[in-house]
């Protein structure tokens, strides 16, 4: 049997690590029900009923079959807890991950399928992971000859060990499935690292992920050869991806507008965009101290400055694309001191000039 040893990391390359920083609150209902629906369909073969899956979630089967229903991360965690209690093993986690093809993820999944290169696929997957009912935080980095998916636990305090084992394997299998959806069936990982003990599952883990697996690691990671990053996916289309990216930006914006304390701040700032209130003033309107508001935003991986920037971006792009207002007037309406600041901000937000945004 091959000795289970992980080679030491190579010297870091100049390429920065890419991580998603948005974390939805557990109870925010902002996600389509596709993951819960997949769970129900998967465990049907195990004779676990839909009613068992949905116990304590507050959801009905009719709601799950309605694409307009919105669900929360906590509801998905509860559904997973239910099937584990009903006897679903780790094989179900792999089965769910293998069924969650990119086609299940709406605009986010379609945009990933249209990625012009695998490098852009990795970047996009991380940047818009908030749209995927995330139970782990996704990141990736380039290290030597490896492109490495990183899976960071963000809800560990509300999970049992059984649920952690289930969701980490499901997430690894999802990424395994998504890479194959885009790069082809022959694309397999080099290795998988689990920040979990080996409970006798190594043979099955390696069979499902088609690579050696290592346990008791300080991280959860899936390693691929970096040589794949310049590969052009068969369905890659730069123009279509750009159009879908705009849609994903709007969906991310909607999620931020309705999520947690940051969502409340966002809505209040939208009421007075040309003279943004102080953080202290906003805190008083919400009913907390400035210190508490700062802490609550930090807990949601947001800051007051970030939210102001989001509001300015949304309003600026809306004014530029739907009105004939002058650049000076738009700059004033969103609280910039002059048009040059707006021009720099538009370039930072979109990578385009104001004229290009208006023409597009």
């Amino acid at each position: 049997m091959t000795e289970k040893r992980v080679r030491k990391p190579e010297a870091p390359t100049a390429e920065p690590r890419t991580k998603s920083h948005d974390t939805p609150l557990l109870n925010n209902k902002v996600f389509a029900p596709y993951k819960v629906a997949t769970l129900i369909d998967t465990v049907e073969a195990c004779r676990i009923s839909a009613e068992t899956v949905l116990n304590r979630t507050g959801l009905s089967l009719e709601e799950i079959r309605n694409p307009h229903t919105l669900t929360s991360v906590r509801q998905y965690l509860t559904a997973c807890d239910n099937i584990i209690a009903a006897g679903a093993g780790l094989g179900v986690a792999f089965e769910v991950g293998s069924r969650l093809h990119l086609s299940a993820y709406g605009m986010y999944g379609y945009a990933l399928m249209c990625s012009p290169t695998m490098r852009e696929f990795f970047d996009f997957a991380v940047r818009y992971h908030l749209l995927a009912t995330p139970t782990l935080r996704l990141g990736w980095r380039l290290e030597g000859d490896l492109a490495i998916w990183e899976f960071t636990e963000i809800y560990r305090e509300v999970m049992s060990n059984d649920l952690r084992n289930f969701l980490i394997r499901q997430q690894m299998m999802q990424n395994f499935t998504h890479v194959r959806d885009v790069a082809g069936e022959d694309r397999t990982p080099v290795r998988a690292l689990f920040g979990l003990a080996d409970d006798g599952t190594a043979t099955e883990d390696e069979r499902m992920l088609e690579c050696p697996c290592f346990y008791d690691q300080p991280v959860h990671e899936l390693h691929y050869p970096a040589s794949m990053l310049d590969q052009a996916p068969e369905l890659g289309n730069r123009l279509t991806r750009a159009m879908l990216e705009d849609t994903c930006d709007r969906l991310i914006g909607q999620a931020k507008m309705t999520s947690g304390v940051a969502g409340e701040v966002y809505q209040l700032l939208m009421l007075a965009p040309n003279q943004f209130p102080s953080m202290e003033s906003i805190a008083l309107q919400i009913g907390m101290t400035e210190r508490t508001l700062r802490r609550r935003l930090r807990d949601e991986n947001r800051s007051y400055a970030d939210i102001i920037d989001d509001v300015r971006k949304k309003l600026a792009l809306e004014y530029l694309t739907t009105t004939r207002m002058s650049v000076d007037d738009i700059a004033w309406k969103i609280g910039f001191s002059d048009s040059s600041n707006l021009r720099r901000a538009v370039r930072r937000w979109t990578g385009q000039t104001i004229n290009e945004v208006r023409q597009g």
Side-chain angles (χ1 to χ4, degrees):
M1 188 173 189
T2 303
E3 184 180 2
K4 296 293 183 181
R5 187 184 305 165
V6 181
R7 72 177 183 183
K8 293 180 180 179
E10 299 182 21
T13 68
E15 181 134 348
R17 175 179 306 209
T18 305
K19 286 190 173 183
S20 62
H21 298 290
D22 293 305
T23 303
L25 296 185
L26 278 167
N27 296 314
N28 284 342
K29 296 181 180 180
V30 294
F31 304 105
Y34 62 91
K35 276 192 173 178
V36 181
T38 301
L39 207 61
I40 290 171
D41 293 341
T42 303
V43 300
E44 185 178 13
C46 306
R47 297 186 178 180
I48 298 175
S49 68
E51 290 73 19
T52 298
V53 179
L54 298 176
N55 183 37
R56 300 179 294 120
T57 65
L59 295 164
S60 68
L61 184 57
E62 182 180 5
E63 288 173 313
I64 291 302
R65 300 306 187 201
N66 181 350
H68 300 294
T69 297
L70 294 179
T71 66
S72 68
V73 170
R74 186 179 290 278
Q75 287 173 314
Y76 185 66
L77 297 184
T78 299
C80 291
D81 259 334
N82 289 338
I83 68 166
I84 292 169
L90 296 179
V92 174
F94 284 117
E95 179 66 19
V96 172
S98 70
R99 290 187 179 209
L100 284 168
H101 289 279
L102 290 174
S103 57
Y105 290 77
M107 291 297 181
Y108 171 66
Y110 189 26
L112 285 168
M113 286 190 284
C114 293
S115 297
T117 67
M118 288 304 297
R119 185 185 300 271
E120 290 173 88
F121 167 84
F122 274 60
D123 279 337
F124 196 94
V126 170
R127 195 172 352 131
Y128 294 95
H129 193 231
L130 181 62
L131 299 175
T133 324
T135 57
L136 296 153
R137 181 174 293 127
L138 184 64
W140 87 276
R141 71 183 188 275
L142 181 64
E143 188 173 288
D145 60 355
L146 295 173
I148 300 174
W149 290 115
E150 305 168 342
F151 311 108
T152 305
E153 296 183 71
I154 49 180
Y155 304 117
R156 184 167 180 171
E157 70 281 359
V158 300
M159 291 188 192
S160 66
N161 283 334
D162 286 342
L163 184 56
R164 289 178 62 221
N165 285 336
F166 186 96
L167 290 173
I168 289 164
R169 286 172 170 83
Q170 180 192 305
Q171 182 67 62
M172 285 200 179
M173 193 65 193
Q174 283 172 210
N175 281 66
F176 174 92
T177 301
H178 298 166
V179 167
R180 294 179 71 153
D181 283 345
V182 177
E185 292 290 316
D186 59 338
R187 281 297 179 186
T188 56
V190 173
R191 67 177 67 89
L193 307 186
F194 288 90
L196 304 167
D198 180 1
D199 293 328
T201 62
T203 299
E204 182 64 8
D205 291 342
E206 293 185 350
R207 185 180 74 83
M208 296 304 301
L209 294 173
E210 300 184 22
C211 66
C213 294
F214 302 85
Y215 301 86
D216 297 308
Q217 302 295 314
V219 292
H220 310 297
E221 294 181 348
L222 200 56
H223 296 190
Y224 279 88
S227 57
M228 71 185 292
L229 292 176
D230 294 324
Q231 178 181 342
E234 185 177 346
L235 298 179
N237 186 296
R238 192 169 296 279
L239 180 59
T240 301
R241 223 294 286 277
M243 294 167 61
L244 292 167
E245 187 168 349
D246 288 342
T247 301
C248 289
D249 278 332
R250 288 196 293 273
L251 293 172
I252 286 282
Q254 290 169 12
K256 289 178 178 179
M257 286 169 58
T258 57
S259 297
V261 173
E264 292 186 57
V265 174
Y266 190 105
Q267 297 289 355
L268 288 171
L269 291 176
M270 288 287 285
L271 299 176
N274 65 327
Q275 284 190 321
F276 292 112
S278 67
M279 190 173 182
E280 181 182 16
S281 174
I282 289 290
L284 288 173
Q285 292 182 63
I286 295 176
M288 60 182 68
T289 65
E290 181 179 352
R291 181 178 179 182
T292 300
L293 175 57
R294 194 182 307 278
R295 176 178 58 79
R296 293 284 297 276
L297 290 176
R298 186 172 63 247
D299 289 344
E300 296 177 22
N301 292 299
R302 304 300 307 281
S303 73
Y304 190 64
D306 288 340
I307 300 171
I308 288 177
D309 197 55
D310 284 342
V311 171
R312 281 178 165 153
K313 176 182 177 182
K314 176 177 174 57
L315 292 173
L317 297 182
E318 186 173 323
Y319 290 143
L320 287 169
T321 57
T322 65
T323 77
R324 295 185 179 181
M325 290 170 57
S326 70
V327 175
D328 286 336
D329 285 344
I330 294 174
W332 177 83
K333 284 187 73 68
I334 63 173
F336 280 126
S337 58
D338 56 54
S339 61
S340 61
N341 287 330
L342 173 60
R343 293 181 189 280
R344 283 193 291 271
V346 169
R347 172 68 74 175
R348 173 168 56 84
W349 292 327
T350 68
Q352 297 178 308
T353 66
I354 283 178
N355 285 340
E356 287 170 339
V357 169
R358 285 196 137 155
Q359 290 168 3

